[in-house]
Amino acid sequence: MTRGAIFALVLCLMGAAVMGEDPYLYFTWNVTYGTISPLGIDQQGILINGQFPGPEINSTSNNNVVVNVFNNLDEPLLFTWHGVQQRKNSWQDGTLGTQCPIAPGTNYTYKFQVKDQIGSFFYYPTVGMQRAAGGFGGLRINSRLLIPVPYADPEDEYWVLIGDWYGKSHKTLQSTLDSGRNIGRPDGVHINGKNDVVGSGKAIYTMKPGKTYKYRICNVGLKDSLNFRIQGHPMKLVESEGSHTVQNIYDSLDVHVGQCFSVLVTADKEPKSYYMVASTRFTKKALTGKAIISYTNGVGPASPLIPLAPVGWAWSLNQFRSFRWNLTASAARPNPQGSYHYGQINITRTIKFVNSVSNVNGKLRYAINGVSHVDTETPLKLAEYYGLSDKVFKYNIIGDVPPASLDNIKLATNVLNTTFRTFIEIIFENPTKTIQSYNLAGYSFFAVAVEPGTWSPEKRKNYNLLDAISRHTIQVFPKSWAAIMLTFDNAGMWNLRSENAENRYLGQQLYISVLSPERSLRDEYNLPERQLVCGIVKDLPRPTPSYS
Ligand SMILES: *[C@@H]1O[C@H](CO)[C@@H](O)[C@H](O)[C@H]1NC(C)=O
Ligand SMILES: *[C@@H]1O[C@H](CO)[C@@H](O)[C@H](O)[C@H]1NC(C)=O
Ligand SMILES: *[C@@H]1O[C@H](CO)[C@@H](O)[C@H](O)[C@H]1NC(C)=O
Ligand SMILES: *[C@@H]1O[C@H](CO)[C@@H](O)[C@H](O)[C@H]1NC(C)=O
Ligand SMILES: *[C@@H]1O[C@H](CO)[C@@H](O)[C@H](O)[C@H]1NC(C)=O
Ligand SMILES: *[C@@H]1O[C@H](CO)[C@@H](O)[C@H](O)[C@H]1NC(C)=O
């Protein structure tokens, strides 16, 4: 072959790689009520294809995931794919600001791509307090075969979905919140939907002696931070919320609501059974959930001596600081403004969000910068797309700085806009006595600092501007602050929410609208053909593609 011919062939192969569509994974989900007993007592739960927790979505970077959801509940339903960035595609993000809910007795097909991401994530239902009844499951994004992973292939992979749990149904919890009261303390903690209180002896997972396993741990609960540990088995942290981490060894991990970790555990101890334990942190009375793992052909029960959880905030803060990004590991990772060096990019805007809680007309409400969010019947994204946003909401009713007094909480639809592709610093300040956990949909951000006290510009000198991990959920300890940085390069309407289900339900969330000035398909997809429409746009003709 001549050099020209080789060149043409290479071009042609490159073309095929570009043109060829990424593989599709298809799922059909039948969502129903069913009996579950995470705390040993029967109660009504939300099942997916009869399962609680729901089935795993096992995907590989860049796969297209198609999930046809049949809603056989008696309520509207939406799922969010927590941590999946939905590039150009807030249409599929599954919150009431982006999608019309799936009506009972109908089905809707989600279609999204797990673009340039790896790691352990999960999905959950977002309408009302449905998450308190189940409907959650693991969402795994494997590295593509050609991309090296910074550790040897584990023998197997196991999900560990942990969460606090209420014995009351989600509807009861909802009506308590609607009546203006809080839902109080949870009744227990589950691991994968069960709590092995009595020590049934039944192992949920088995390990072969000498082999190493990956455990994917996520806190799918409603309000409590959980400490997770395995009797006698240290954990090597390898990934967190999409970032390969520096591989430190931990005896236990604090997992805040909405966060995930992947760890490696080697079965190199006496071959018998062991407890996995998840217990609440920072609560007066600790609640504990247990599950058993065993060795193949292992003999002997798990010891009843449960390892204790650490005490106090400082431990947790130090653990946060020990999480570092492995800068040399190759993987899809955020590349703000074409540079991996996020610490060298100039900040164009600083937004400070302060959370508060107060009564409004005698009813409990939670707020960000004094505004407690109210969902609209017309999803914000649809209103914006149809050019009718002024009929549905007002942009920027809160400023970049919180008002002097946070006591007067106002109920309103809370939408901020940011300029496409700008690099922004967000400070979360938590003056309350309860821990917060914030998630930003559509993005992964650099969590550069978490510190006690209040934030001031001088605190920037304490930021980790080198190897903070890029993640989707950050905790803010009581009377503390956290700082994150990111480039707003994913056009769409994105939910910023407290992962604390009570806070979120009662208004501690907002939306960030990011519009690309060119309205180009390169930056954002058009309204999908199958997208449900509702509210004021229901009977309107669909705008001819506004993006091209
Ligand atoms: C969903 O499950 C329910 C209860 O098992 C069953 O009655 C129904 O036929 C199922 N629907 C579909 C679409 O599979
Ligand atoms: C998940 O997908 C990976 C990659 O395709 C495959 O190797 C693995 O066996 C799958 N695991 C399960 C539990 O389906
Ligand atoms: C509902 O399910 C049917 C049968 O699988 C499918 O053909 C149809 O496209 C689905 N409808 C929506 C809106 O996803
Ligand atoms: C980071 O990743 C590299 C490349 O895969 C690996 O060799 C190295 O051991 C990792 N470093 C740490 C500290 O985990
Ligand atoms: C950031 O700002 C500094 C000071 O204004 C300026 O000197 C520098 O060139 C800017 N860097 C970039 C990458 O824009
Ligand atoms: C925010 O939206 C308003 C109203 O559409 C617009 O005038 C303003 O330019 C936008 N600001 C940004 C930063 O995009």
Side-chain angles (χ1 to χ4, degrees), residues 149-150 245-247 326 328-330:
V149 170
T245 59
V246 165
Q247 298 174 5
N326 183 338
T328 53
S330 42

Side-chain angles (χ1 to χ4, degrees), residues 349 395-396 417-420 513:
R349 181 174 168 190
Y395 290 99
N396 308 322
N417 61 356
T418 62
T419 306
F420 190 51
S513 161

